[in-house]
């Protein structure tokens, strides 16, 4: 896996394999999830893939009642909103993702700061089937 | 590298015009821009020979998608009878015409042109709401689209981060919506000219006439809290937090500063001009402010030698209510986390100490995206020249106003300070 090019395409192939991968700058150690082919901190271009723990906490979210066509096809609407959010990973980077396992009809129950862990959602069918990055609250029991 | 910027030659604004903003099934971009051009022409106090226009810079976001037609520079140059004058289309999402304005300023400041027409146009309403939403999403960050975010969704997420950090709530955003609706009836060009109070009353009246259940809203906020009257679009963004779909055009005439008196005895001058790029939710410095707004403002303040206190009123990009709240902090009018208190105290109302969006804002004036930046500058023009009628800012010696324009979800921001000397 170390020799795959650093690209969004490969990032998504890793998602297909249930891996949340980032790119780390060999020069300064900065970590990017999704990856960057150059380091936007020091502008060096030697980057390496690293696997994240997939753990973090929720820093922002929204419950979307009127989504794009792909989400409407999945059955989401006013009566069944879906949640999208931003998650800060334990390793530092912030990622945007679908947030599953929360009560989207009662958004006030969704708490910023709550611990979440990665999940890999399957969206679409046939040719258009793809893996979408998701997170879900960590079961505290 | 971090030098203070200045124009090589001063630039003055001597004319301005805009179409009405609304959904026009019977008019296209040519019609709308021509209407704006005719009004601009008539606004030049000492007259304009259109043949003296050296060049055009036209902002347009995505008529390619909305109206299946691109190449608006040349098409408008032709429809205005300005061929062979060069015309360039500029794209910067919802900040397209603020960028067109900047290109016009630079073209004059360089000494290359003397008289430049800048403006913007958008023709959005011919397609379904779903298609328009898809078109607007062309300016979203790819990662956000993949995570299911819509435009209202990105701003909704930003709102949750702001609420969490500073203890604000939806109730504070309602103050912004109510204010925009209070200003709009005073603006003849506005798309929605009804106050929330009047919307509430007319809905109650209609319910009584129809004999259906009469809503018991006690005040404007009570109406806005009602999930039937004001449904969630992307929680916490509700219908009345979002700007409408609009068609419209706006244009301005810029000339070299030393030429201004040939056109009017009352020109405005470009005092400061700033533009910056920003990042998406995943890499932004912070989710409770727009970094591009801050950098654009810093550049404009440094260039002009002015401070936020000097800005007597401003138009800011309120595509969503939360955006107005963040911008009034990012532009330095209020401290981070203090903006919502200022709004609640009425400081941004027309009679407050810092009137914001006297035009009714994007929320009520309308938001034909490619025309918005130019239209914001027209509001500053009308205010500074005491042509704003009943919505005139009640400050004596009105001299300095500003406009802030945002593209996408904060990827492009501009801040322009105009001065009447
Ligand atoms: Zn680096």
């Amino acid at each position: 896996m170390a020799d795959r090019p650093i690209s969004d395409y490969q990032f998504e192939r890793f998602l297909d394999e249930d891996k949340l991968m980032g790119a780390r700058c060999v020069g300064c150690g900065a970590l990017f999830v999704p990856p960057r082919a150059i380091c936007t901190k020091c502008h060096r271009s030697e980057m390496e893939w690293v696997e994240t723990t997939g753990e973090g906490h929720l820093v922002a979210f929204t419950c979307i009642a009127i989504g794009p066509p792909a989400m409407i096809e999945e059955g989401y609407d006013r009566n069944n909103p879906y949640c999208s959010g931003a998650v800060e990973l334990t390793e530092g980077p912030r990622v945007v993702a679908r947030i599953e396992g929360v009560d989207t009809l009662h958004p006030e129950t969704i708490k910023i700061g709550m611990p979440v862990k990665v999940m890999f959602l399957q969206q679409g069918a046939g040719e258009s089937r793809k893996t979408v990055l998701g997170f879900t609250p960590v079961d505290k029991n | 590298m971090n030098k203070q910027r200045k124009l090589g030659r001063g630039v003055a604004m001597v004319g301005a015009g805009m179409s009405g903003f609304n959904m026009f099934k019977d008019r296209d971009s040519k019609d709308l821009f021509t209407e704006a051009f005719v009004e601009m022409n008539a606004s030049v106090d000492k007259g304009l020979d259109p043949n003296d226009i050296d060049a055009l810079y036209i902002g347009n976001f995505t008529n390619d998608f909305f109206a299946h037609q691109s190449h608006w520079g040349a098409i408008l140059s032709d429809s205005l009878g300005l061929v062979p004058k060069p015309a360039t289309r500029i794209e910067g999402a919802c900040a397209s015409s603020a960028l067109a304005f900047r290109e016009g300023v630079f073209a004059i400041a360089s000494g290359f042109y003397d008289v430049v027409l800048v403006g913007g146009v958008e023709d959005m309403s011919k397609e379904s709401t779903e298609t328009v939403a898809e078109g607007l999403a062309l300016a979203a960050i790819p990662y956000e689209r993949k995570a299911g975010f819509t435009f209202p969704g990105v701003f909704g997420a930003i709102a949750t981060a702001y609420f969490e950090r500073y203890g604000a709530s939806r109730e504070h955003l309602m103050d912004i919506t109510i204010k925009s609706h209070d200003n709009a009836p005073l603006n003849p060009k506005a798309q929605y000219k009804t106050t929330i109070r009047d919307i509430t009353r007319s809905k109650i009246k209609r319910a009584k006439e129809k004999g259906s259940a009469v809503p018991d809203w006690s005040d404007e906020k009570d109406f806005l809290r009602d999930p039937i009257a004001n449904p969630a679009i992307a929680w916490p963004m509700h219908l009345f937090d979002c700007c409408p779909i609009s068609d419209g055009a706006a244009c301005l005439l810029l000339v070299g500063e030393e030429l201004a008196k040939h056109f009017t005895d009352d020109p405005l001058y470009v005092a400061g001009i700033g533009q910056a790029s920003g990042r998406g939710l995943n890499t932004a410095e912070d989710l409770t402010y727009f970094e591009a707004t801050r950098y654009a403002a810093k550049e404009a303040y440094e260039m002009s030698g002015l401070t936020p206190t000097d800005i007597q009123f401003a138009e800011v990009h309120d595509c969503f209510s939360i955006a107005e709240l963040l911008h009034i902090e990012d532009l330095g009018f209020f401290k981070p986390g203090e903006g919502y208190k200022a709004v609640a105290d009425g400081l941004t109302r027309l009679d407050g100490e810092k009137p914001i969006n006297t035009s009714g804002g994007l929320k009520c004036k309308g938001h034909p995206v490619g025309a918005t930046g130019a239209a914001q500058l027209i509001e500053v023009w009308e205010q500074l020249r005491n042509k704003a009628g009943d919505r005139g800012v009640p400050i004596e010696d009105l001299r300095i106003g500003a406009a802030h324009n945002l593209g996408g979800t904060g990827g492009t921001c501009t801040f322009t300070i105009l001065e009447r000397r």
Side-chain angles (χ1 to χ4, degrees):
Chain A
M1 88 184 169
D3 55 1
R4 292 196 207 176
I6 306 282
S7 68
D8 284 350
Y9 178 83
Q10 296 298 344
F11 173 75
E12 289 174 358
R13 299 295 72 72
F14 279 124
L15 292 182
D16 291 338
E17 298 163 27
D18 288 1
K19 288 191 171 87
L20 177 57
M21 301 292 289
R24 184 164 55 203
C25 172
V26 174
C28 76
L31 177 64
F32 302 90
V33 188
R36 302 246 188 181
I38 64 165
C39 175
T40 53
K41 296 252 163 53
C42 73
H43 286 103
R44 275 176 279 202
S45 57
E46 198 184 340
M47 309 294 288
E48 61 183 5
W49 286 108
V50 291
E51 185 170 359
T52 71
T53 58
E55 292 169 0
H57 64 276
L58 187 68
V59 293
F61 71 95
T62 178
C63 294
I64 298 179
I66 301 175
M71 296 306 289
I72 294 170
E73 269 170 44
E74 299 278 311
Y76 294 104
D77 60 19
R78 267 183 205 287
N79 301 315
N80 181 28
Y82 63 93
C83 183
S84 296
V87 169
E88 198 171 297
L89 297 174
T90 312
E91 293 89 345
R94 197 189 300 135
V95 294
V96 288
R98 293 264 304 283
I99 309 297
E100 291 288 300
V102 291
D103 184 355
T104 54
L105 285 172
H106 299 94
E108 62 284 354
T109 62
I110 305 172
K111 296 298 177 197
I112 286 179
M114 71 181 188
V116 292
K117 63 174 193 295
V118 72
M119 62 187 296
F120 301 90
L121 306 169
Q122 299 304 311
Q123 192 179 81
E127 291 269 301
S128 65
R129 185 180 172 84
K130 61 181 176 184
T131 312
V132 175
L133 181 61
F135 284 84
T136 191
V138 174
D139 189 358
K140 292 203 191 92
N141 299 325
Chain B
M1 295 280 275
N2 211 347
K3 68 172 224 170
Q4 186 189 333
R5 302 182 200 284
K6 61 181 193 332
L7 299 177
R9 174 197 191 191
V11 177
M13 187 194 296
V14 298
M18 61 185 278
S19 71
F21 281 7
N22 216 319
M23 296 202 267
F24 300 112
K25 292 298 172 200
D26 57 345
R27 290 150 81 200
D28 63 14
S29 291
K30 281 193 276 60
D31 304 328
L32 294 164
F33 201 88
T34 302
E35 184 183 336
F37 181 75
V38 168
E39 187 178 287
M40 182 284 298
N41 208 346
S43 78
V44 181
D45 296 330
K46 298 183 185 177
L48 165 71
D49 178 352
N51 294 307
D52 288 339
I53 294 172
D54 293 317
L56 301 80
Y57 293 93
I58 307 295
N60 174 250
F61 168 38
T62 182
N63 267 7
D64 328 47
F65 190 92
F66 295 141
H68 306 283
Q69 176 69 58
S70 66
H71 205 195
W72 283 100
I75 292 167
L76 292 178
S77 184
D78 176 21
S79 62
L80 301 175
L82 297 177
V83 165
K85 301 299 170 60
T88 306
R89 171 196 170 170
I90 313 281
E91 192 277 312
C94 322
S96 294
S97 57
L99 302 194
F101 175 86
R102 282 170 60 85
E103 291 308 312
V105 167
F106 297 150
I108 290 172
S110 75
F112 198 80
Y113 295 134
D114 291 326
V115 182
V116 170
L117 182 72
V118 300
V121 64
E122 206 77 47
D123 180 13
M124 305 172 65
S125 73
K126 312 297 186 284
E127 295 285 347
S128 68
T129 303
E130 290 75 18
T131 305
V132 171
E134 245 187 304
L136 291 172
L138 294 175
I141 307 283
Y143 302 123
E144 291 165 4
R145 292 175 70 181
K146 287 174 185 173
F149 277 100
T150 55
F151 259 41
V154 171
F155 288 86
I158 288 169
T160 63
Y162 183 94
F163 291 172
E164 177 75 13
R165 175 88 48 93
Y166 296 118
S169 72
R170 269 191 71 207
E171 299 281 316
H172 300 102
L173 300 183
M174 292 175 189
D175 291 326
I176 292 173
T177 298
I178 292 166
K179 170 192 63 80
S180 296
H181 275 268
D182 282 345
N183 290 345
L186 308 175
N187 182 358
K189 295 287 175 70
Q191 183 167 354
Y192 292 108
K193 298 189 189 72
T194 317
T195 63
I196 298 291
R197 199 176 312 106
D198 286 345
I199 293 171
T200 309
R201 281 180 188 150
S202 73
K203 281 183 189 282
I204 290 174
K205 185 164 167 252
R206 217 173 313 147
K208 281 179 181 160
E209 282 166 5
K210 282 167 55 186
S212 52
V214 179
D216 59 350
W217 304 308
S218 58
D219 60 12
E220 293 145 298
K221 284 195 179 179
D222 205 31
F223 166 79
L224 291 171
R225 278 181 214 117
D226 183 337
I228 309 290
N230 185 19
I233 303 295
W235 192 93
M237 292 296 102
H238 289 60
L239 182 62
F240 278 85
D241 292 298
C242 310
C243 65
I245 292 169
S246 321
D247 307 318
C251 66
L252 311 161
L253 191 68
L254 301 178
V255 302
E257 186 175 271
E258 77 286 1
L259 303 171
K261 297 288 177 181
H262 296 299
F263 296 89
T264 176
D265 291 328
D266 194 11
L268 301 185
Y269 297 91
V270 177
I273 188 165
Q275 181 188 338
S277 303
R279 292 168 281 200
L281 292 175
N282 67 321
T283 49
E285 285 171 353
D286 191 280
L287 299 182
T288 63
Y289 61 85
F290 289 102
E291 54 188 332
T293 299
R294 288 189 175 187
Y295 287 114
K298 182 170 183 287
E299 194 171 86
Y301 286 134
E302 284 179 3
M303 174 180 156
S304 63
L306 298 167
T307 68
T309 319
D310 296 316
I311 309 298
Q312 293 169 301
F313 66 96
E315 291 285 298
V316 310
H317 195 95
D318 60 320
C319 47
F320 300 94
S321 54
I322 183 67
E324 176 168 326
L325 178 52
L326 266 56
H327 298 317
I328 59 175
E329 297 180 0
D330 296 338
L331 296 170
F333 300 153
F334 305 102
K335 291 198 184 78
E338 299 287 326
Y340 73 91
K341 298 171 194 163
V343 170
D345 290 343
L347 302 188
T348 60
R349 295 182 62 84
L350 187 52
D351 57 358
E353 67 178 44
K354 188 76 79 182
I356 300 293
N357 288 335
T358 55
S359 66
L362 279 51
K363 170 70 186 76
C364 295
K365 180 186 61 186
H367 182 30
V369 290
T372 283
Q376 292 176 313
L377 290 162
I378 291 177
E379 179 67 9
V380 178
W381 157 269
E382 294 194 343
Q383 289 286 359
L384 288 180
R385 289 178 31 120
N386 299 319
K387 297 275 168 57
D390 289 343
R391 70 179 193 287
V393 173
I395 294 176
E396 281 199 36
D397 188 28
L398 207 53
R399 221 169 51 77
I400 296 168
H404 161 273
N405 197 193
L406 169 146
T409 50
T412 299
C413 290
T414 66
F415 190 54
T416 308
I417 305 170
L418 298 178
E419 181 180 17
R420 184 192 199 191
R421 289 180 192 155

